[in-house]
Amino acid sequence: MKTFEFIRPADSVAAVATAAQAKTAQQGADVRFLAGGTTLIDLMKLNVETPARVIDINRLPLDTIEATRDGGLKIGATARNSDLANHPVVKRQYAVLSQALLSGASAQLRNMATTAGNLLQRTRCMYFRDTAMPCNKREPGSGCAAITGSNRMLAILGTSEHCIATNPSDMCVAMAALEATIHVHGSKGSRAIPMGEFHLLPGATPHRETVLEPGDLITHVTLPPPVAGSKQVYLKLRDRASYEFALASAAVVISIREGSVARARVALGGVGTKPWRSPEAEAALVGQRADQANFRRAAEAALREAKPQSENAFKIELAKRCLVHALQTAATA
Ligand SMILES: Cc1cc2nc3c(=O)[nH]c(=O)nc-3n(C[C@H](O)[C@H](O)[C@H](O)COP(=O)(O)OP(=O)(O)OC[C@H]3O[C@@H](n4cnc5c(N)ncnc54)[C@H](O)[C@@H]3O)c2cc1C
Ligand code: SF4
């Protein structure tokens, strides 16, 4: 690990001012915020992240979870994944988020991992984590070892010829289905970013993963008020039952009236280069009977643009079955 300066700012303003001196907020950033450290410290040990300055934000008052005036929820950036998953309001009204968080990592990791850190966790593509291998995300222009190499775990939606890495987060998939908003305090003031606009597709610049700029500190995430009577499910399929990332996952929030789908929000995990909201599946569901045939049609629509690599064509059918099962479970809950 390279040596770095460790900074404990007095407040958010000082934290943002220091971070704003960075050349980039993306891969290769010379200044990084430190939250739970479960992504950042790992990558620093591997020399994939080499910040010269690390700003510890754990003492900033950003860890509360509280109701908003409109009946939604405000989640602090440093609220721990375990606290969020077990919060009574989240368990009762945003069950899909609680289920997604509890399906991730391990109890120990969830006790450390934070909301903002989870939003910004990096891909688990093995070549990204190995500095001996070419990787456009880690080192722009060096190539992509995964396209001709080991890609079983990698993405089938949103890929480019430059990068096929999966976004590994479970929490983000639930937040996409819940239409969360990410709140950022930066050197030019504060702004709110809809979840669907926060992560970027790899395109020709896979090292740019989000819309964040130098200095941008995520302060909190808000969820809109829960939809009365909606059914919520997060289903994660993986190689083993715990401590494993998704091969495919689905977050669904649906409302059913008189046997038909009145409203649907659908997002997929483990298959996209970003948390994958599927307006195609949502459109296929709304107004249709809540039955297996229509759930399968929605799944076909969600995966229509899927582009498999040499080792991961199985994910297309797996993701479809995952979504159908999640919808069935929600519909019969
Ligand atoms: C063995 C293992 C298994 C795992 N399994 C899963 C899994 O199954 N599912 C899953 O979803 N995740 C899994 N994870 C990932 C885990 O959820 C993330 O590592 C964690 O959520 C990151 O949060 P953190 O607070 O530790 O982030 P950190 O490591 O502290 O930070 C991560 C990044 O976010 C930036 N950052 C942090 N806070 C802010 C902020 N407020 N504003 C701006 N930037 C910020 C940091 O600078 C850094 O770049 C696993 C991790 C490990 C190590
Ligand atoms: S898939 Fe992306 S992260 Fe993996 S080697 Fe290729 S460029 Fe790097």
Side-chain angles (χ1 to χ4, degrees):
M1 190 193 290
K2 291 204 172 150
T3 55
F4 59 90
E5 183 187 358
F6 190 70
I7 301 166
R8 281 221 165 104
D11 53 30
S12 298
V13 176
V16 168
T18 306
Q21 295 165 20
K23 291 186 198 75
T24 177
Q26 306 296 331
Q27 175 61 28
D30 47 338
V31 186
R32 282 283 188 214
F33 295 121
L34 175 71
T38 62
T39 285
L40 183 65
I41 302 296
D42 273 10
L43 293 177
M44 287 172 68
K45 286 184 195 161
L46 295 168
N47 284 323
V48 172
E49 293 265 13
T50 54
R53 284 183 284 177
V54 172
I55 306 170
D56 182 2
I57 59 170
N58 285 289
R59 292 185 184 180
L60 303 182
L62 299 173
D63 63 347
T64 54
I65 302 169
E66 55 197 345
T68 56
R69 278 195 197 149
D70 67 355
L73 197 67
K74 177 180 173 186
I75 305 162
T78 56
R80 305 287 153 176
N81 286 180
S82 48
D83 291 335
L84 183 57
N86 292 309
H87 192 281
V89 174
V90 177
K91 283 181 98 93
R92 202 171 54 246
Q93 298 187 312
Y94 303 99
V96 66
L97 178 57
S98 178
Q99 292 165 18
L101 284 161
L102 292 175
S103 76
S106 64
Q108 292 89 341
L109 281 159
R110 293 193 296 269
N111 285 341
M112 287 304 293
T114 63
T115 308
N118 200 323
L119 282 166
L120 294 170
Q121 67 172 286
R122 312 295 304 278
T123 183
R124 308 305 289 197
C125 173
M126 67 164 87
Y127 305 108
F128 172 69
R129 300 168 72 86
D130 182 350
T131 54
M133 300 301 290
C135 170
N136 287 324
K137 186 182 280 297
R138 177 172 30 77
E139 205 180 320
S142 61
C144 172
I147 289 175
T148 51
S150 177
N151 51 45
R152 178 175 176 271
M153 294 294 291
L154 300 187
I156 52 174
L157 288 165
T159 57
S160 75
E161 61 183 296
H162 302 281
C163 181
I164 57 169
T166 324
N167 182 295
S169 173
D170 293 296
M171 182 195 81
C172 290
V173 183
M175 285 191 173
L178 289 169
E179 301 182 303
T181 301
I182 296 152
H183 299 262
V184 170
H185 179 52
S187 54
K188 294 179 195 146
S190 299
R191 65 191 199 282
I193 307 160
M195 184 69 190
E197 295 170 20
F198 183 75
H199 295 96
L200 300 172
L201 292 173
T205 54
H207 58 286
R208 268 193 73 80
E209 294 178 348
T210 69
V211 295
L212 292 183
E213 298 291 343
D216 281 346
L217 173 72
I218 297 172
T219 53
H220 59 283
V221 173
T222 51
L223 301 180
V227 179
S230 67
K231 313 273 182 91
Q232 306 182 10
V233 167
Y234 186 73
L235 177 64
K236 176 176 179 179
L237 305 182
R238 48 191 155 167
D239 283 328
R240 57 182 176 192
S242 76
Y243 213 51
E244 186 54 282
F245 292 89
L247 287 168
S249 71
V252 301
V253 181
I254 57 167
S255 307
I256 299 174
R257 266 184 233 124
E258 295 172 5
S260 294
V261 178
R263 180 182 183 277
R265 297 291 182 270
V266 172
L268 301 175
V271 288
T273 50
K274 59 184 259 183
W276 201 261
R277 173 98 178 259
S278 179
E280 298 85 359
E282 294 168 8
L285 286 166
V286 172
Q288 305 300 318
R289 301 289 302 166
D291 60 26
Q292 168 126 12
N294 286 325
F295 294 161
R296 181 71 198 188
R297 260 179 229 116
E300 298 287 347
L303 275 297
R304 192 157 292 136
E305 301 295 323
K307 185 171 177 288
Q309 304 297 325
S310 56
E311 296 179 348
N312 66 5
F314 74 97
K315 280 193 175 193
I316 298 179
E317 181 59 23
L318 190 72
K320 287 179 188 173
R321 291 187 189 189
C322 182
L323 178 52
V324 170
H325 197 72
L327 288 164
Q328 271 173 336
T329 308
T332 53

